[in-house]
Amino acid sequence: MRSVGTLTRADLAETINRKLGFSRAESLDLVEAVLAKMSDALAAGENVKISGFGSFVLRDKKQRIGRNPKTGVEVPITPRRVMTFRASHKLKDRIAQGS
């Protein structure tokens, strides 16, 4: 597996700055607004779908019994809400092509 860098908020803001001509502050505000909207929707229990990219889906998991692998003792795992990401077919294809 090849090693690559990490895309950051600053990188997104820089791209908006270069491609759309917004100031750096406006670009960063735009990135923060989009991320805040997504976070608020997820916190409110809504799924987030970005067409051509993927979906952030919330699932409620029920309580279940788990086992400590080191000791073998059974312990209850509390109910919780988890978020998963499902990539769109376009994104999967693009990743497979490496472009």
Side-chain angles (χ1 to χ4, degrees):
M1 186 170 189
R2 67 184 189 151
S3 177
V4 291
T6 302
L7 181 66
T8 65
R9 292 172 187 220
D11 296 332
L12 293 172
E14 179 65 28
T15 300
I16 292 170
N17 171 261
R18 279 187 280 113
K19 293 200 177 211
L20 300 178
F22 293 153
S23 72
R24 289 185 192 274
E26 289 173 328
S27 299
L28 191 55
D29 287 345
L30 181 61
V31 170
E32 293 296 333
V34 169
L35 294 175
K37 180 66 176 170
M38 290 173 60
S39 298
D40 291 345
L42 289 165
E46 300 176 45
N47 294 330
V48 175
K49 181 177 181 177
I50 302 172
S51 210
F53 183 73
S55 300
F56 296 90
V57 180
L58 296 173
R59 284 186 36 215
D60 289 319
K61 290 193 162 188
K62 297 179 181 178
Q63 181 170 333
R64 62 188 174 91
I65 299 296
R67 188 178 312 271
N68 181 331
K70 191 171 186 178
T71 63
V73 175
E74 289 186 350
V75 292
I77 298 174
T78 58
R80 65 199 184 284
R81 178 172 281 168
V82 296
M83 180 189 67
T84 60
F85 176 74
R86 293 190 51 131
S88 72
H89 289 291
K90 287 182 183 180
L91 180 58
K92 287 179 184 179
D93 292 344
R94 187 165 182 189
I95 290 170
Q97 293 172 358
S99 60

